Amino acid sequence: MGLNFFNRDDRDMRFVLFEWLDMEKVLGYEKFSEFALDDFAMMFDEAYKIARDFIGPTFKDGDEIGVKYEGGQVTVPPSFHEAFKAMAENGWIGLASPPEYGGQGMPAVVSGVINEFFNAAHFAFMTYVGLLVSNSGVIVNYGTDKDKEMFVERMITGEFGGTMCLTEPDAGSDVGDLLTKATPDPDAGDPRIYKIEGSKRFITCGRHDMVDVIIHLVLARIEGAPKGTKGISLFIVPTKWVNEDGSIGEDNDVFCTGIEHKMGIHGSATCSLSFGENGKCRGILLGEPNSGMAKMFQMMNEARIGCGVQANAAAAAAYDAALQYAKERVQGPPFVDRSKPRVPIIQHEDVRRMLMNLKAGTEAARAMIAYNFWMVDVAHNDPDPEVRKAMGMRSELMTPLLKSYITDMGAQLCRDAMQILGGVGYCAEFPIEQHYRDIKILSIWEGTNFIQSLDLVGRKLAMAGGSVYQNFLKEIFDYTAAYKEDPDFAKEFKMLFKAAQATGDISMKYMTYFKEGKIQLIPLSSTRFLDCLAEVTMAYLMLQQGLIARDKLAEAKEGSANHAYYTGKVASVKYFCNNFLPNIFARHTAISQEDTSAIDIPEASF
Amino acid sequence: MGLNFFNRDDRDMRFVLFEWLDMEKVLGYEKFSEFALDDFAMMFDEAYKIARDFIGPTFKDGDEIGVKYEGGQVTVPPSFHEAFKAMAENGWIGLASPPEYGGQGMPAVVSGVINEFFNAAHFAFMTYVGLLVSNSGVIVNYGTDKDKEMFVERMITGEFGGTMCLTEPDAGSDVGDLLTKATPDPDAGDPRIYKIEGSKRFITCGRHDMVDVIIHLVLARIEGAPKGTKGISLFIVPTKWVNEDGSIGEDNDVFCTGIEHKMGIHGSATCSLSFGENGKCRGILLGEPNSGMAKMFQMMNEARIGCGVQANAAAAAAYDAALQYAKERVQGPPFVDRSKPRVPIIQHEDVRRMLMNLKAGTEAARAMIAYNFWMVDVAHNDPDPEVRKAMGMRSELMTPLLKSYITDMGAQLCRDAMQILGGVGYCAEFPIEQHYRDIKILSIWEGTNFIQSLDLVGRKLAMAGGSVYQNFLKEIFDYTAAYKEDPDFAKEFKMLFKAAQATGDISMKYMTYFKEGKIQLIPLSSTRFLDCLAEVTMAYLMLQQGLIARDKLAEAKEGSANHAYYTGKVASVKYFCNNFLPNIFARHTAISQEDTSAIDIPEASF
């Protein structure tokens, strides 16, 4: 069993759930009426143990033993089997899944925060679990009663595996160009059953030995369907046929033809799959023909939020490791007095700066993630349809921010963590170098970070005539106006105000680019605009937290754990506003230059 | 033999050496009187072949086979032996080393630019070579005639290996706390011979099977010497004793006790060494007692410049790989017209943005590196002592910029290259993921990047009463004033002017911090100040290049390779000024906030 590095501090998660977000509102919904806040607090303790005792050991095993491919089968390390079993048996897979199918029916926000634990222990292991949740969720939403009965509970309880099969060797970011075909199977006696034929690549958890049956959700084009994304349908393709009585039938014609050799996430099998090589692969059409992209987008959206969780979990784990090291490692006298004895490196200013990047960065990301999950709960459960719609759209606006900003920032935070450790941080005896390698996939999969920025500027900014975005900015302006004289955070509110202005100014420029025929300037800078909006959002949420922490600090007993925590929160809020937000002005200046050298340069001049 | 990814474009290197830098001046020096520019051009072609045919194959071998440790010996892959032999036999190791000891006596700037080839092919392999050069250089400068005769030529010709042994398990950044002891050896009959006892860690190339004898340069404290860096001496410690007649004597008491398992540079052996475990390790004092740090600093300085070369070489290799992929990979229609057929991804704006980061970033870094080597040549050879002194000090000012900025930027550029490739970039079938892992060590070793920033603000800014730094800034202000109406680059000169002002303003603030008792704000922001000065320097050099390219472009034939190159250079200059320089304003704003949250926060609040 692998070396266990799991050592998360959960205080900030508890603050988010029990002291900041309006959980009364969520618990007031019919669906959650049986839960009380205390239940969640107890679940935290249990989740911590699962993360530490079962997932923690998979971290090193996954990296060092990794997954093995032989003769079409993929095997995972023994500790993976144990951890998967522990998650399945104790109901942790379906935390937020519907109780009628074996789930626990918890609010998304609770599940989301708890999932940071699990992912901090080892997010590559958690891909096997996370895909089950989102995959089964698609069947719950779009499957027939029979589909649900046949597949959902068996996935949520870990009997079956699950994947999403989009990418092909020649269609990555450009999923609309996929070549996998579906043709009606006249022998099946069921018009929903098709024959599937094609190759998929980069299929996460596409084959493994923790389950006997994997339920692939496969994008394919029904013969004669339109080109592009409009002609894509979604199919349920089990690796073994599941009979109507629930018994497992014959093997389906799906093979794993190999796995990728990757820089990180060695424990997560990245498979190439071949469907229908012998003309015998059967799949069940999920929902209407040609509606596959929209359905897959539900799953994709969850996966994108999931990327934010994974990235922040890895960064938070790196923070914990770096913090522990910084407290223990003694090196060098204080900068202000070189004649003094040497001190633990946590006393050195630059180490503190990097620790604050990690602390403030992960707290801000956690706030944005949890707020998004909270909005999902409201959007799904509020009795008022207007509220549901508004929160749903705001959540959609923020999804690309979570996916893109947090994954890029997370990679930079792992860099800081490694820098704190120095030479040993580059070596395998500490967990940082693995986090550094693992986290990098998150900026690539589930739609590259550039794709996220196109989603933001191309679709999300324009939602409801632009009002979703405009209302959000206005809310921030109102907030900064209300607190501009705040005794503790006036400087930070002022900074946020200016940052929001600069961000709004970029989107205004984008409007004029359409008119002025400069539209190429938009994709040239959209990743930077996304980063601006993400930082504004995070600063806004951090300041909300800062006001609470400031008030509670006044009540807290000096020397108590709470006093230390609230002091730290106030520091995080100030640090974030003063050190992260100024980047927005750099991006604003760069974008304002309207430099077209990257567009103008001929290909031969690169 | 490993897959060979070597595919460097050398056009920009030739521009740097033959069209930009004042090589007439260098060739005018007595020492280089036998060389002509044409010689260097021919050497480029030869160096290219060595890099491609011999070093290229070590890249994958080094990563996948790696170095193996068994029973005190370290073995490297077979392709390493061949490459090392090819470098040694053809005189490539001692390119700039003195001819009287088997070197070729070339200008540092020529050697430096050519070394980018070699390092782009595989910088982890090149550590075995690079250490020989800097190590033997220390003996040339400080050794007795006997020392030189015994060691230097045999190192430069690859018969002996070489290392620098500073770090110990408990003394990393804090080298002054090292514990390795030296005691006079009464039996030796030579007062320069000491017994050495201690442990070193993270010793690059500390043991390997390409040579029989390795010459360790070891920092140790002579018994009774002062504490700290002032009591450290430098010793020549061969792994086998070299007799006065040149024959190889008995084994010295030095053992390799293990190697590190690292995230990257798997081909470069990172060794733990034990000296004098049996009380029989002998070393030769190099120079005066207690003068070791200053001597080691010569080597360290070269190594720091070398880090810049290594980082830029890796980033440039990543650029070449990403560029080739971007030209070949077809995915998605153009942003401006989604109805068109899909195109090679080099036509997509965001890919172009990232390619321009890589192109402009590596060109700017190459300019700064080459300019530094050029200054080294002037500083060592100019007949005018004032010129020698001025250029020497300016080179010293810039050394920390090269080491720190280029290694951090290089890591980010490898990130961009991976992002261009997407999923396959994360996999081992392309070289990017290895560059991504390999390059990260460079921000850590040879003094972490924070140590570089302390060197800059603590020592370099204050050199000659601050005049070295002030004169350099003034030169830039004069330059921007002279070209502020330039028809092509006015916007960029203006940007540089403002950026230099902001940078100057930060150093002015630092002066006031001393008076106001806020000196902790300096180490809190010094890495950011370093980045500002580096970007200003690079923009200054890039604009020099831009003016030349602009003029030559007017003469070049449309459609010619030169036309394409100069067009690309103009684009790089504009891109760099408009997209890199604005970061300076963000740092300036952040620093101006004088936020002390990272200093104020109690340890318990992290």
Side-chain angles (χ1 to χ4, degrees), chain B residues 394-410:
Chain B
R394 182 175 285 188
S395 164
E396 282 184 51
L397 173 70
M398 290 190 185
T399 297
L401 312 184
L402 263 70
K403 165 33 169 111
S404 178
Y405 187 87
I406 300 175
T407 59
D408 275 337
M409 175 183 72

Side-chain angles (χ1 to χ4, degrees), chain A residues 52-66:
Chain A
R52 183 192 61 202
D53 299 341
F54 289 95
I55 308 177
T58 70
F59 182 76
K60 267 284 154 196
D61 283 353
D63 195 54
E64 290 180 357
I65 305 171

